[in-house]
Amino acid sequence: MADGLAQLLLGSAWGLLSPVLPCPLEAGWILQRDMLIPGAGGGYSAIAVESPLRRFWLLSDLPEGELSAWTLPSAHSSPRRLNAFQLQVPQQVTHQLDGEGLVIDGDQAWVATEGRRRQERPAQLLRFSLVSGALLEAVPLPPLWQPQPQQGLNSNAGPEGLARLNRPGEPLALLMAAERPLLQDPDDQVRLLRWDWPRPNRSRHEPPQASEQGALEAPADGPWGLTDLQVLHPQQPGAALLLTLWRRYREPLQWSNQLRLYRLPEPGQVMQAIHHWDLQQVGLPPDNWEGLSLSSFLSPAQPSVLLVSDDNRNPLQTSRLAMLRAHRLASCPQQQP
């Protein structure tokens, strides 16, 4: 996409977000680091960075439901595991936790768990204590996402991504993404779901309410699945952007990975990608890259994109952490004008 067209599409977001995104968008990304995650853990499906505390959280989708805290890596050091605990889910909530999306909110964690179209393993939004790992709340998905004949999420097809939707300082709101189209939807559209609280100051005590937030057009040469997303806000009023992570798997053990940029759709809208980047062209090894987060620890002026891979407990795969930095020409703006 031409730089001028990108600025037209991005509107007021262009100046502020240029430190996060490549400038021009065609400039792409620089692979800063690609490293093994030490230790015997695995199945990492989501990552959430707490830059002020210089740590990040990894959610595992293995049946143990582990959530672990790690130090942020530097330019030369590897991450170090700080602590870990098992998320405690009663059998009446789900027979097996399959955590796929993660948002950290103070001493609590919101987790999107993937379903299997069975009553004993529903897809849900769960809230946990980061102190004890205890389940604080289980919220069902809205009716259109529930399994009915020719309707709802397919088995093992989401929800896969969960992100903080609100701007800094605003009441908490969450954005959830399916991995693949719902059964009633066209096969090239992935739905988004917004979670808000009727009384925003009660977000830590009352269940949120869900509302549709449009859909994203999937890559054409599928089957692709959306595995995570981050919301990028302009400083001035304007539409938010979505930086999304996609994967495709083909036998035998062939992975493809993309980042795709969208405007946040309104309810009923289907958004096409503004731009996309093939991560193998960046130098990222093809694998099951599942988690996406942003970190300003290395450079507050230009955040890094952190990706985590799920090894699936497969000896041919590994648990890895990758750091990407946007390539920017010297003529690009440094901050919002």
Side-chain angles (χ1 to χ4, degrees):
M1 177 178 294
D3 190 39
L5 181 56
Q7 293 191 44
L8 179 63
L9 290 173
L10 295 175
S12 62
W14 177 255
L16 174 66
L17 294 177
S18 57
V20 178
L21 298 170
C23 179
L25 296 177
E26 292 87 347
W29 301 85
I30 300 168
L31 181 60
Q32 292 179 288
R33 293 200 64 187
D34 169 30
M35 68 203 86
L36 286 171
I37 298 176
Y44 299 126
S45 57
I47 180 172
V49 174
E50 290 185 292
S51 288
L53 298 178
R54 299 188 177 185
R55 70 180 180 184
F56 65 94
W57 294 87
L58 291 179
L59 174 67
S60 173
D61 62 7
L62 297 176
E64 300 91 300
E66 183 185 81
L67 187 60
S68 53
W70 301 72
T71 61
L72 279 168
S74 68
H76 305 289
S77 68
S78 296
R80 179 172 53 86
R81 186 179 175 112
L82 296 171
N83 58 67
F85 52 85
Q86 185 175 353
L87 298 177
Q88 304 164 29
V89 184
Q91 287 282 302
Q92 61 266 29
V93 174
T94 181
H95 284 202
Q96 182 175 315
L97 180 65
D98 187 1
E100 298 288 352
L102 175 67
V103 168
I104 301 297
D105 181 38
D107 61 354
Q108 298 182 358
W110 288 95
V111 171
T113 181
E114 197 164 41
R116 293 298 187 273
R117 291 186 66 84
R118 301 198 304 268
Q119 185 176 2
E120 64 270 20
R121 288 191 62 182
Q124 301 174 87
L125 178 64
L126 306 176
R127 180 165 60 96
F128 293 92
S129 166
L130 282 182
V131 178
S132 64
L135 178 68
L136 302 175
E137 186 175 18
V139 187
L141 300 189
L144 290 178
W145 290 57
Q146 294 286 352
Q148 298 291 337
Q150 303 303 312
Q151 178 185 297
L153 288 162
N154 212 330
S155 181
N156 199 28
E160 189 83 13
L162 189 67
R164 184 183 293 269
L165 180 57
N166 58 291
R167 293 171 179 267
E170 292 183 345
L172 180 66
L174 301 174
L175 185 67
M176 178 182 283
E179 179 182 4
R180 299 187 186 278
L182 274 60
L183 292 182
Q184 67 267 35
D185 290 341
D187 60 8
D188 63 345
Q189 297 177 15
V190 173
R191 284 203 193 202
L192 302 176
L193 197 61
R194 180 188 184 113
W195 295 92
D196 290 292
W197 280 260
R199 297 190 294 176
N201 62 338
R202 301 290 294 173
S203 65
R204 300 174 69 81
H205 306 281
E206 297 178 351
Q209 293 186 358
S211 59
E212 296 289 339
Q213 190 66 55
L216 305 179
E217 186 179 274
D221 55 339
W224 288 86
L226 193 160
T227 67
D228 212 346
L229 72 168
Q230 288 282 294
V231 181
L232 308 176
H233 289 283
Q235 185 175 7
Q236 298 176 357
L241 301 177
L242 303 179
L243 184 63
T244 60
L245 177 63
W246 298 74
R247 69 179 170 196
R248 182 182 65 192
Y249 177 76
R250 291 174 174 170
E251 295 287 357
L253 206 63
Q254 298 180 45
W255 297 95
S256 302
N257 311 99
Q258 288 187 4
L259 288 176
R260 299 180 75 85
L261 181 69
Y262 298 84
R263 291 182 75 108
L264 177 68
E266 296 293 333
Q269 284 186 325
V270 179
M271 278 293 173
Q272 296 181 338
I274 298 171
H275 200 81
H276 73 274
W277 300 271
D278 184 328
L279 291 178
Q280 273 65 69
Q281 293 183 0
V282 176
L284 195 72
D287 211 328
N288 187 23
W289 295 96
E290 280 208 42
L292 167 70
S293 190
L294 301 179
S295 172
S296 58
F297 172 57
L298 289 182
S299 173
Q302 186 175 8
S304 299
V305 171
L306 268 63
L307 305 176
V308 68
S309 70
D310 180 352
D311 65 355
N312 294 321
R313 287 280 171 91
N314 185 328
L316 299 179
Q317 295 177 254
T318 55
S319 299
R320 308 190 70 85
L321 184 71
M323 304 174 66
L324 304 178
R325 178 172 58 83
H327 183 74
R328 295 164 27 79
L329 300 184
S331 57
C332 291
Q334 298 297 318
Q335 57 187 2
Q336 177 75 17

